[in-house]
Amino acid sequence: MFVLHQPPGRATLPVDAPVWRTCLREVAFVDDWHRAAPGQQLVGHAEAYALLLEIVTGLRSPLVGETEVQAQFKAFLASLDPAAHLDLHRLGQRVLADAKYIRQHHLQGFGAHSYGVLAARRVPSGRRVALVGAGALAGQVTAALAGRHTIDQWARRAVEGRPALLLIATADARGVVSSAPTTLVLASPVASAVAATVARCYADVREVIDLRSADQRSPIADDLPVVTLDTLFADARGSACMPAERIEAARSDITRLARAFERREQVRPLGWDDLCA
């Protein structure tokens, strides 16, 4: 197993490779050795497994130990065609099992909050919320704000069982939805022009909480204060700092697990199926 790891959009990835994308990185899974482009990290076998474990456990995140990246990895595995990517699916399940072990033994009590919870902390009590997005991240924000705020959720398309969603395509025709003080939360990689269209539906937008990745961000309006993921990470780091010895212990255990993975690959080069051959 080999992986190509890079910041979003840094270089072209193999077109036939499954790619796991987050707001901070792209990880392509390739079957053989590729020439790495500038800005790409190419690793294989135990090193590749250790890299995946460090990413999934949040040790490569700005907020060390955060759990959002693990949820994103689960969603990536669920999106794969099981028949076409059986080996990768099995690999992913092993990574998730080992990540659970690392969290339980080394990271307990740190990084437990999702991006949605971090965003919700920034919304003043009683403030109306215009939430753009209908995916997992938007669901986290909604759950964190439920019962304390009026939430208008905007999406590109209707979602079965969610009649309360406001469609972005109808924003221009709606006029002013509310004159109450409003926080705009971007929980989807929408263009800034789309975000501005939604913002115009509110007469008193006080700030924007922008959960888009750095490469997706661009100004929405010059007069609106913006809270980015970087700000949320800085807030969280200030409230809970993981001791360096726990990080080192986690990385040491990850190295051990990666070596065990490589030994298994050497003993069973065809995977578990070769046991029944």
Side-chain angles (χ1 to χ4, degrees):
M1 177 194 67
F2 301 92
V3 300
L4 281 167
H5 175 230
Q6 66 177 24
R10 175 63 60 84
T12 301
L13 295 169
V15 295
D16 57 342
V19 179
W20 171 33
R21 291 183 170 88
T22 74
C23 58
L24 299 175
R25 69 188 79 254
E26 293 175 335
V27 179
F29 297 84
V30 295
D31 294 329
D32 50 20
W33 197 256
H34 284 253
R35 184 182 299 276
Q40 287 181 331
Q41 178 186 16
L42 175 64
V43 293
H45 309 297
E47 190 177 358
Y49 193 81
L51 172 64
L52 285 175
L53 261 183
E54 287 203 5
I55 294 172
V56 172
T57 55
L59 291 180
R60 293 283 183 119
S61 298
L63 174 58
V64 177
E66 56 93 356
T67 57
E68 179 67 22
V69 68
Q70 180 171 310
Q72 293 169 338
F73 187 63
K74 286 182 179 179
F76 163 70
L77 293 178
S79 71
L80 296 173
D81 179 351
H85 300 291
L86 181 60
D87 289 341
L88 179 52
H89 182 76
R90 287 173 172 167
L91 167 70
Q93 295 307 312
R94 179 171 177 141
V95 167
L96 289 172
D98 283 346
K100 181 178 180 181
Y101 170 87
I102 293 296
R103 286 194 181 281
Q104 289 176 340
H105 285 77
H106 303 291
L107 309 180
Q108 203 75 27
F110 289 91
H113 297 308
S114 70
Y115 294 178
V117 171
L118 295 178
R121 289 177 176 174
R122 277 281 183 156
V123 181
S125 179
R127 180 71 57 81
R128 192 181 189 99
V129 175
L131 174 63
V132 179
L137 181 54
Q140 292 172 5
V141 175
T142 300
L145 294 173
R148 298 185 293 115
H149 300 269
T150 299
I151 304 172
D152 301 323
Q153 190 168 358
W154 295 80
R156 292 184 181 278
R157 51 182 169 72
V159 178
E160 187 175 352
R162 299 288 298 280
L165 287 179
L166 300 173
L167 298 183
I168 291 171
T170 67
D172 280 328
R174 284 184 176 271
V176 175
V177 171
S178 173
S179 297
T182 301
T183 294
L184 176 64
V185 180
L186 304 182
S188 176
V190 296
S192 291
V194 172
T197 299
V198 173
R200 286 195 293 271
C201 293
Y202 297 86
D204 189 12
V205 176
R206 297 291 179 90
E207 69 277 303
V208 179
I209 299 178
D210 192 345
L211 303 181
R212 298 176 297 176
S213 62
D215 64 304
Q216 296 165 340
R217 281 183 228 137
S218 58
I220 297 166
D222 293 337
D223 57 340
L224 287 179
V226 178
V227 176
T228 67
L229 275 175
D230 297 334
T231 307
L232 298 181
F233 290 148
D235 288 349
R237 282 196 296 267
S239 62
C241 184
M242 185 180 297
E245 59 269 21
R246 292 181 64 171
I247 296 175
E248 287 307 308
R251 288 197 164 121
S252 177
D253 236 357
I254 284 174
T255 298
R256 177 184 62 81
L257 292 168
R259 288 172 179 165
F261 166 80
E262 186 169 50
R263 285 195 298 272
R264 195 215 77 172
E265 289 294 287
Q266 292 169 348
V267 172
R268 302 186 179 94
L270 301 180
W272 292 113
D273 293 339
D274 68 339
L275 294 176
C276 303

PDB file of all heavy atoms in Angstrom, residues 132-133 154-157 166-172 174 188 190 194-195 197-198:
ATOM      1  N   VAL A 132     -25.578  27.445   6.384  1.00  0.00           N
ATOM      2  CA  VAL A 132     -25.481  27.020   4.985  1.00  0.00           C
ATOM      3  C   VAL A 132     -24.823  25.652   4.937  1.00  0.00           C
ATOM      4  O   VAL A 132     -23.663  25.494   5.325  1.00  0.00           O
ATOM      5  CB  VAL A 132     -24.666  28.032   4.155  1.00  0.00           C
ATOM      6  CG1 VAL A 132     -24.567  27.564   2.710  1.00  0.00           C
ATOM      7  CG2 VAL A 132     -25.309  29.413   4.226  1.00  0.00           C
ATOM      8  N   GLY A 133     -25.574  24.658   4.451  1.00  0.00           N
ATOM      9  CA  GLY A 133     -25.065  23.299   4.354  1.00  0.00           C
ATOM     10  C   GLY A 133     -26.057  22.306   4.924  1.00  0.00           C
ATOM     11  O   GLY A 133     -26.847  22.651   5.814  1.00  0.00           O
ATOM     12  N   TRP A 154     -29.957  26.424   5.104  1.00  0.00           N
ATOM     13  CA  TRP A 154     -29.985  26.600   3.660  1.00  0.00           C
ATOM     14  C   TRP A 154     -29.202  25.480   2.983  1.00  0.00           C
ATOM     15  O   TRP A 154     -28.122  25.107   3.432  1.00  0.00           O
ATOM     16  CB  TRP A 154     -29.360  27.943   3.285  1.00  0.00           C
ATOM     17  CG  TRP A 154     -30.103  29.138   3.774  1.00  0.00           C
ATOM     18  CD1 TRP A 154     -30.077  29.683   5.028  1.00  0.00           C
ATOM     19  CD2 TRP A 154     -31.013  29.943   3.018  1.00  0.00           C
ATOM     20  NE1 TRP A 154     -30.894  30.780   5.103  1.00  0.00           N
ATOM     21  CE2 TRP A 154     -31.484  30.965   3.884  1.00  0.00           C
ATOM     22  CE3 TRP A 154     -31.460  29.906   1.696  1.00  0.00           C
ATOM     23  CZ2 TRP A 154     -32.385  31.943   3.465  1.00  0.00           C
ATOM     24  CZ3 TRP A 154     -32.362  30.876   1.275  1.00  0.00           C
ATOM     25  CH2 TRP A 154     -32.818  31.877   2.156  1.00  0.00           C
ATOM     26  N   ALA A 155     -29.741  24.968   1.880  1.00  0.00           N
ATOM     27  CA  ALA A 155     -29.084  23.875   1.162  1.00  0.00           C
ATOM     28  C   ALA A 155     -29.250  24.062  -0.337  1.00  0.00           C
ATOM     29  O   ALA A 155     -30.119  24.808  -0.802  1.00  0.00           O
ATOM     30  CB  ALA A 155     -29.663  22.526   1.591  1.00  0.00           C
ATOM     31  N   ARG A 156     -28.414  23.388  -1.091  1.00  0.00           N
ATOM     32  CA  ARG A 156     -28.492  23.469  -2.561  1.00  0.00           C
ATOM     33  C   ARG A 156     -29.703  22.722  -3.104  1.00  0.00           C
ATOM     34  O   ARG A 156     -30.262  23.097  -4.126  1.00  0.00           O
ATOM     35  CB  ARG A 156     -27.220  22.891  -3.187  1.00  0.00           C
ATOM     36  CG  ARG A 156     -25.970  23.723  -2.918  1.00  0.00           C
ATOM     37  CD  ARG A 156     -24.792  23.127  -3.654  1.00  0.00           C
ATOM     38  NE  ARG A 156     -23.566  23.841  -3.424  1.00  0.00           N
ATOM     39  CZ  ARG A 156     -23.195  24.949  -4.067  1.00  0.00           C
ATOM     40  NH1 ARG A 156     -23.982  25.453  -4.992  1.00  0.00           N
ATOM     41  NH2 ARG A 156     -22.049  25.541  -3.798  1.00  0.00           N
ATOM     42  N   ARG A 157     -30.077  21.640  -2.424  1.00  0.00           N
ATOM     43  CA  ARG A 157     -31.194  20.830  -2.910  1.00  0.00           C
ATOM     44  C   ARG A 157     -32.001  20.309  -1.736  1.00  0.00           C
ATOM     45  O   ARG A 157     -31.537  20.305  -0.595  1.00  0.00           O
ATOM     46  CB  ARG A 157     -30.673  19.649  -3.741  1.00  0.00           C
ATOM     47  CG  ARG A 157     -29.609  18.847  -3.044  1.00  0.00           C
ATOM     48  CD  ARG A 157     -29.091  17.718  -3.924  1.00  0.00           C
ATOM     49  NE  ARG A 157     -27.897  17.097  -3.378  1.00  0.00           N
ATOM     50  CZ  ARG A 157     -27.852  16.306  -2.327  1.00  0.00           C
ATOM     51  NH1 ARG A 157     -28.969  16.041  -1.673  1.00  0.00           N
ATOM     52  NH2 ARG A 157     -26.723  15.771  -1.912  1.00  0.00           N
ATOM     53  N   LEU A 166     -34.254  25.584   3.587  1.00  0.00           N
ATOM     54  CA  LEU A 166     -34.437  26.657   2.615  1.00  0.00           C
ATOM     55  C   LEU A 166     -33.476  26.420   1.467  1.00  0.00           C
ATOM     56  O   LEU A 166     -32.289  26.144   1.676  1.00  0.00           O
ATOM     57  CB  LEU A 166     -34.146  28.014   3.277  1.00  0.00           C
ATOM     58  CG  LEU A 166     -35.025  28.384   4.477  1.00  0.00           C
ATOM     59  CD1 LEU A 166     -34.508  29.656   5.127  1.00  0.00           C
ATOM     60  CD2 LEU A 166     -36.466  28.560   4.047  1.00  0.00           C
ATOM     61  N   LEU A 167     -33.952  26.507   0.243  1.00  0.00           N
ATOM     62  CA  LEU A 167     -33.113  26.238  -0.915  1.00  0.00           C
ATOM     63  C   LEU A 167     -32.383  27.510  -1.341  1.00  0.00           C
ATOM     64  O   LEU A 167     -32.978  28.576  -1.478  1.00  0.00           O
ATOM     65  CB  LEU A 167     -33.949  25.698  -2.070  1.00  0.00           C
ATOM     66  CG  LEU A 167     -34.664  24.367  -1.805  1.00  0.00           C
ATOM     67  CD1 LEU A 167     -35.404  23.907  -3.060  1.00  0.00           C
ATOM     68  CD2 LEU A 167     -33.680  23.309  -1.353  1.00  0.00           C
ATOM     69  N   ILE A 168     -31.078  27.370  -1.545  1.00  0.00           N
ATOM     70  CA  ILE A 168     -30.252  28.506  -1.939  1.00  0.00           C
ATOM     71  C   ILE A 168     -30.743  29.121  -3.244  1.00  0.00           C
ATOM     72  O   ILE A 168     -30.706  30.340  -3.431  1.00  0.00           O
ATOM     73  CB  ILE A 168     -28.780  28.061  -2.054  1.00  0.00           C
ATOM     74  CG1 ILE A 168     -28.235  27.749  -0.648  1.00  0.00           C
ATOM     75  CG2 ILE A 168     -27.931  29.119  -2.713  1.00  0.00           C
ATOM     76  CD1 ILE A 168     -26.873  27.104  -0.652  1.00  0.00           C
ATOM     77  N   ALA A 169     -31.244  28.279  -4.140  1.00  0.00           N
ATOM     78  CA  ALA A 169     -31.701  28.772  -5.447  1.00  0.00           C
ATOM     79  C   ALA A 169     -32.862  29.748  -5.319  1.00  0.00           C
ATOM     80  O   ALA A 169     -33.119  30.539  -6.228  1.00  0.00           O
ATOM     81  CB  ALA A 169     -32.107  27.588  -6.332  1.00  0.00           C
ATOM     82  N   THR A 170     -33.573  29.721  -4.199  1.00  0.00           N
ATOM     83  CA  THR A 170     -34.732  30.616  -4.019  1.00  0.00           C
ATOM     84  C   THR A 170     -34.388  31.853  -3.191  1.00  0.00           C
ATOM     85  O   THR A 170     -35.265  32.667  -2.914  1.00  0.00           O
ATOM     86  CB  THR A 170     -35.879  29.860  -3.319  1.00  0.00           C
ATOM     87  OG1 THR A 170     -35.485  29.548  -1.964  1.00  0.00           O
ATOM     88  CG2 THR A 170     -36.217  28.576  -4.045  1.00  0.00           C
ATOM     89  N   ALA A 171     -33.120  32.004  -2.800  1.00  0.00           N
ATOM     90  CA  ALA A 171     -32.748  33.074  -1.869  1.00  0.00           C
ATOM     91  C   ALA A 171     -33.069  34.458  -2.419  1.00  0.00           C
ATOM     92  O   ALA A 171     -33.611  35.315  -1.708  1.00  0.00           O
ATOM     93  CB  ALA A 171     -31.269  32.978  -1.515  1.00  0.00           C
ATOM     94  N   ASP A 172     -32.728  34.714  -3.681  1.00  0.00           N
ATOM     95  CA  ASP A 172     -32.940  36.046  -4.253  1.00  0.00           C
ATOM     96  C   ASP A 172     -34.410  36.443  -4.269  1.00  0.00           C
ATOM     97  O   ASP A 172     -34.746  37.622  -4.189  1.00  0.00           O
ATOM     98  CB  ASP A 172     -32.377  36.100  -5.677  1.00  0.00           C
ATOM     99  CG  ASP A 172     -30.870  36.294  -5.686  1.00  0.00           C
ATOM    100  OD1 ASP A 172     -30.354  36.962  -4.770  1.00  0.00           O
ATOM    101  OD2 ASP A 172     -30.209  35.753  -6.593  1.00  0.00           O
ATOM    102  N   ARG A 174     -36.703  35.548  -2.034  1.00  0.00           N
ATOM    103  CA  ARG A 174     -37.335  35.508  -0.710  1.00  0.00           C
ATOM    104  C   ARG A 174     -37.398  36.871  -0.030  1.00  0.00           C
ATOM    105  O   ARG A 174     -38.202  37.094   0.859  1.00  0.00           O
ATOM    106  CB  ARG A 174     -36.595  34.528   0.201  1.00  0.00           C
ATOM    107  CG  ARG A 174     -36.901  33.084  -0.112  1.00  0.00           C
ATOM    108  CD  ARG A 174     -36.220  32.149   0.875  1.00  0.00           C
ATOM    109  NE  ARG A 174     -36.610  30.776   0.610  1.00  0.00           N
ATOM    110  CZ  ARG A 174     -37.670  30.176   1.145  1.00  0.00           C
ATOM    111  NH1 ARG A 174     -38.442  30.857   1.975  1.00  0.00           N
ATOM    112  NH2 ARG A 174     -37.969  28.938   0.848  1.00  0.00           N
ATOM    113  N   SER A 188     -20.454  24.335   4.601  1.00  0.00           N
ATOM    114  CA  SER A 188     -20.395  23.664   3.301  1.00  0.00           C
ATOM    115  C   SER A 188     -19.434  24.451   2.422  1.00  0.00           C
ATOM    116  O   SER A 188     -19.319  25.680   2.580  1.00  0.00           O
ATOM    117  CB  SER A 188     -21.790  23.636   2.662  1.00  0.00           C
ATOM    118  OG  SER A 188     -21.756  23.090   1.369  1.00  0.00           O
ATOM    119  N   VAL A 190     -19.317  26.198  -0.110  1.00  0.00           N
ATOM    120  CA  VAL A 190     -20.013  27.014  -1.104  1.00  0.00           C
ATOM    121  C   VAL A 190     -19.135  28.181  -1.533  1.00  0.00           C
ATOM    122  O   VAL A 190     -18.244  28.619  -0.802  1.00  0.00           O
ATOM    123  CB  VAL A 190     -21.354  27.538  -0.552  1.00  0.00           C
ATOM    124  CG1 VAL A 190     -22.305  26.399  -0.261  1.00  0.00           C
ATOM    125  CG2 VAL A 190     -21.127  28.388   0.692  1.00  0.00           C
ATOM    126  N   VAL A 194     -22.382  32.667  -3.284  1.00  0.00           N
ATOM    127  CA  VAL A 194     -23.568  31.973  -2.756  1.00  0.00           C
ATOM    128  C   VAL A 194     -23.809  32.397  -1.311  1.00  0.00           C
ATOM    129  O   VAL A 194     -24.940  32.684  -0.910  1.00  0.00           O
ATOM    130  CB  VAL A 194     -23.382  30.448  -2.855  1.00  0.00           C
ATOM    131  CG1 VAL A 194     -24.513  29.714  -2.130  1.00  0.00           C
ATOM    132  CG2 VAL A 194     -23.318  30.012  -4.316  1.00  0.00           C
ATOM    133  N   ALA A 195     -22.730  32.451  -0.521  1.00  0.00           N
ATOM    134  CA  ALA A 195     -22.865  32.882   0.868  1.00  0.00           C
ATOM    135  C   ALA A 195     -23.403  34.302   0.954  1.00  0.00           C
ATOM    136  O   ALA A 195     -24.246  34.617   1.806  1.00  0.00           O
ATOM    137  CB  ALA A 195     -21.514  32.779   1.571  1.00  0.00           C
ATOM    138  N   THR A 197     -25.365  35.766  -1.189  1.00  0.00           N
ATOM    139  CA  THR A 197     -26.783  35.728  -1.546  1.00  0.00           C
ATOM    140  C   THR A 197     -27.638  35.382  -0.338  1.00  0.00           C
ATOM    141  O   THR A 197     -28.685  36.003  -0.089  1.00  0.00           O
ATOM    142  CB  THR A 197     -27.018  34.698  -2.662  1.00  0.00           C
ATOM    143  OG1 THR A 197     -26.280  35.077  -3.824  1.00  0.00           O
ATOM    144  CG2 THR A 197     -28.493  34.606  -3.022  1.00  0.00           C
ATOM    145  N   VAL A 198     -27.195  34.397   0.442  1.00  0.00           N
ATOM    146  CA  VAL A 198     -27.930  34.036   1.659  1.00  0.00           C
ATOM    147  C   VAL A 198     -27.869  35.179   2.664  1.00  0.00           C
ATOM    148  O   VAL A 198     -28.876  35.519   3.305  1.00  0.00           O
ATOM    149  CB  VAL A 198     -27.352  32.738   2.267  1.00  0.00           C
ATOM    150  CG1 VAL A 198     -28.002  32.458   3.629  1.00  0.00           C
ATOM    151  CG2 VAL A 198     -27.566  31.557   1.321  1.00  0.00           C
TER     152      VAL A 198
END
